[in-house]
Amino acid sequence: MPFHKFGLEAEILRAIEKAGYARPTPVQAAAIPKVMQGHDLIAIAQTGTGKTAAFVLPMLHRLSQWHRQGPLRGIKALILAPTRELAVQIMENIRAYGQHLPIRVAAIHGGVDEEAQIKALRKGVQIVVATPGRLLDLMGRQKLAFHLLEMLILDEADRMLDMGFLADIETLVGILPKRRQTLMFSATLSKEVESLARRFQYQPKMVQIGKRSNPADTVIQCVYEVPAHLKNPLLLELLRQPEFTKVLVFARLKDGADRLTNFLKLAQVKVVKLHSNRSQDQRLQALQDFKDGKAQVLVATDIVARGIDIDGVTHVVNYDFPVNPEDYVHRIGRTGRAEAQGDAISFVPKQDLNLLDRLELCIGQRLERKRLRGFDYHAPIPAPTPGDKPPRRDWRQRTREMEAKKTARPTARVPQKPGGKRGKK
Ligand code: AMP
């Protein structure tokens, strides 16, 4: 079914045409009519399926219709998102899809100077996209009011709950007008998401695209069983292949992401990194460089990568295998977006084989095992060269050592100096 069959405003159809969308994706086909009719909605859809346009297009349509009846007063729609990057991305989408409409949008999120955000609000906006923390802060100081709000949208609801935003969301929703349309988008339908729906929505319609926790069909997945100390050389070998042009690499921890980035830089790979210890400016710059193709590789942790939409990611590499199967689904959803094809590669050392088993059980699929021809999987751990930092010990080993130290603490008294003070050893 083409877009014009929905009856969307002509200005919105023009923007869709400009974006080059020939037809709605399944989640858009299912969600757009329901939202246009004013229903509450829970949409469970695989990542990268066009979820953003599924709520932004009908939201703009409704706002545009109200505008026809008279100038819009106050903030009419609020979108909550888990991360700053996602909030900015949604704002950019709204600007693109609403470019022919007299509707203004602002993004409110932490990590940047709030004055610019307050200034944008003062100019008068009809849509606010926000992360919960900064929004509550500004509301507490009367910088914005929602008494004229008509639509509330929770994007990546499951992620917001995972990130501990439940209390903030409850406080926020408690302040909003009771009569409103509430949409909830989530990658998974957990008990917690269902509970939010029960409390915040009125007779919601349900849209579920694809099976739960099923990675997008457009992603080709495979596994390299590789010893942990050979992950770096294997990654480097893969990156040297010509088809690896835009590669998103996931590390489990921030310092792991830092170390991997340094290694790749030393090997002359154009690489940028994205994790929560970086400033907002650094994060946006890294994302932009990767989007523009100035960097071949983006090394990221899960926290910032979820929901991020980057065109043409050729490969997602799970350098560290995700502990949680749902994170796996999200990570690999960064490629193969909007029905394009992509590859997802996972490095699995022996100690992570149990995580792989659990994932395969969860997605009901055995992933293909691959081996890179000519790569020495039995190379020894390289001897440290002078100046190398000693390798980090495994956290389990460190905990054991600390416990052992505690129990072996000497009970004998420390000899005292003649002056009564403790003598130095
Ligand atoms: P999202 O799931 O909202 O992050 O969207 C994933 C990607 O799909 C984005 O790059 C959108 O621009 C693109 N997209 C959204 N809707 C369509 C459509 N109907 N046809 C083609 N691409 C689309």
Side-chain angles (χ1 to χ4, degrees), residues 100-248:
H100 306 297
L101 294 171
I103 288 171
R104 277 210 291 263
V105 53
I108 305 291
H109 52 79
V112 290
D113 178 29
E114 63 174 39
E115 274 314 308
Q117 296 177 349
I118 294 172
K119 224 169 151 186
L121 289 173
R122 275 207 207 106
K123 280 191 190 151
V125 297
Q126 293 78 41
I127 305 170
V128 168
V129 191
T131 52
R134 172 68 65 92
L135 184 66
L136 265 179
D137 182 25
L138 292 188
M139 282 170 78
R141 289 186 282 132
Q142 323 282 316
K143 298 291 180 195
L144 72 177
F146 287 109
H147 58 287
L148 296 169
L149 191 92
E150 300 275 355
M151 295 180 82
L152 168 68
I153 296 149
L154 305 181
D155 193 21
E156 305 257 3
D158 51 348
R159 189 59 170 178
M160 285 200 278
L161 297 180
D162 285 351
M163 288 172 68
F165 283 136
L166 177 63
D168 283 353
I169 293 175
E170 281 172 335
T171 310
L172 266 168
V173 177
I175 301 168
L176 303 179
K178 298 266 172 301
R179 265 181 69 107
R180 54 159 204 266
Q181 183 180 18
T182 306
L183 315 179
M184 201 138 73
F185 283 74
S186 179
T188 50
L189 183 60
S190 60
K191 281 202 184 72
E192 293 78 14
V193 170
E194 276 176 292
S195 153
L196 273 194
R198 262 198 308 279
R199 286 182 292 146
F200 297 164
Q201 295 191 303
Y202 175 71
Q203 299 185 347
K205 301 279 178 203
M206 174 98 174
V207 166
Q208 191 156 9
I209 304 296
K211 265 187 256 153
R212 187 174 164 178
S213 295
N214 219 11
D217 298 332
T218 48
V219 182
I220 299 171
Q221 304 164 65
C222 72
V223 165
Y224 286 86
E225 289 182 18
V226 59
H229 70 278
L230 294 179
K231 288 202 271 185
N232 282 1
L234 179 61
L235 179 62
L236 210 50
E237 278 303 311
L238 291 172
L239 290 175
R240 290 197 173 123
Q241 302 191 3
E243 63 275 20
F244 283 67
T245 52
K246 213 171 200 181
V247 186
L248 179 53

Side-chain angles (χ1 to χ4, degrees), residues 216-400:
D217 298 332
T218 48
V219 182
I220 299 171
Q221 304 164 65
C222 72
V223 165
Y224 286 86
E225 289 182 18
V226 59
H229 70 278
L230 294 179
K231 288 202 271 185
N232 282 1
L234 179 61
L235 179 62
L236 210 50
E237 278 303 311
L238 291 172
L239 290 175
R240 290 197 173 123
Q241 302 191 3
E243 63 275 20
F244 283 67
T245 52
K246 213 171 200 181
V247 186
L248 179 53
V249 179
F250 282 99
R252 201 172 288 158
L253 302 171
K254 288 176 263 193
D255 61 347
D258 287 339
R259 271 178 282 134
L260 178 58
T261 308
N262 292 342
F263 165 79
L264 292 174
K265 272 189 188 154
L266 280 175
Q268 312 291 325
V269 175
K270 287 193 177 135
V271 56
V272 287
K273 62 182 175 183
L274 199 63
H275 60 60
S276 57
N277 270 8
R278 310 214 78 208
S279 73
Q280 182 63 9
D281 281 350
Q282 288 172 325
R283 284 158 69 163
L284 287 175
Q285 189 62 52
L287 208 54
Q288 202 54 50
D289 286 349
F290 186 59
K291 280 184 178 172
D292 295 346
K294 286 186 194 151
Q296 177 194 5
V297 179
L298 171 66
V299 177
T301 53
D302 289 292
I303 195 86
V304 283
R306 189 141 153 169
I308 292 302
D309 174 41
I310 302 166
D311 260 353
V313 171
T314 56
H315 296 77
V316 166
V317 177
N318 290 314
Y319 176 86
D320 291 320
F321 200 77
V323 176
N324 183 343
E326 254 133 41
D327 283 336
Y328 176 86
V329 177
H330 279 284
R331 287 179 177 192
I332 73 162
R334 304 301 110 209
T335 183
R337 292 171 80 72
E339 289 155 33
Q341 196 148 325
D343 283 271
I345 292 168
S346 299
F347 290 176
V348 186
K350 239 190 206 141
Q351 59 265 37
D352 287 345
L353 281 172
N354 58 336
L355 297 177
L356 175 63
D357 284 347
R358 206 171 64 166
L359 172 80
E360 289 181 329
L361 261 177
C362 180
I363 61 174
Q365 186 183 347
R366 186 179 150 80
L367 303 184
E368 187 195 350
R369 268 50 171 184
K370 266 196 177 169
R371 283 179 92 73
L372 187 68
R373 240 204 250 147
F375 185 78
D376 181 6
Y377 284 85
H378 301 289
I381 299 176
T385 50
D388 268 1
K389 276 191 187 167
R392 274 173 68 94
R393 281 159 306 154
D394 182 63
W395 63 270
R396 294 182 204 89
Q397 189 193 338
R398 270 183 285 155
T399 317
R400 272 198 300 273

Side-chain angles (χ1 to χ4, degrees), residues 3 21-25 28 47-53 89 93 97 307 309 311 337-338:
F3 273 105
Y21 302 165
R23 60 195 156 83
T25 63
Q28 292 163 1
T47 176
T49 50
K51 280 194 292 177
T52 316
Q89 189 173 291
N93 273 299
Y97 301 137
D309 174 41
D311 260 353
R337 292 171 80 72

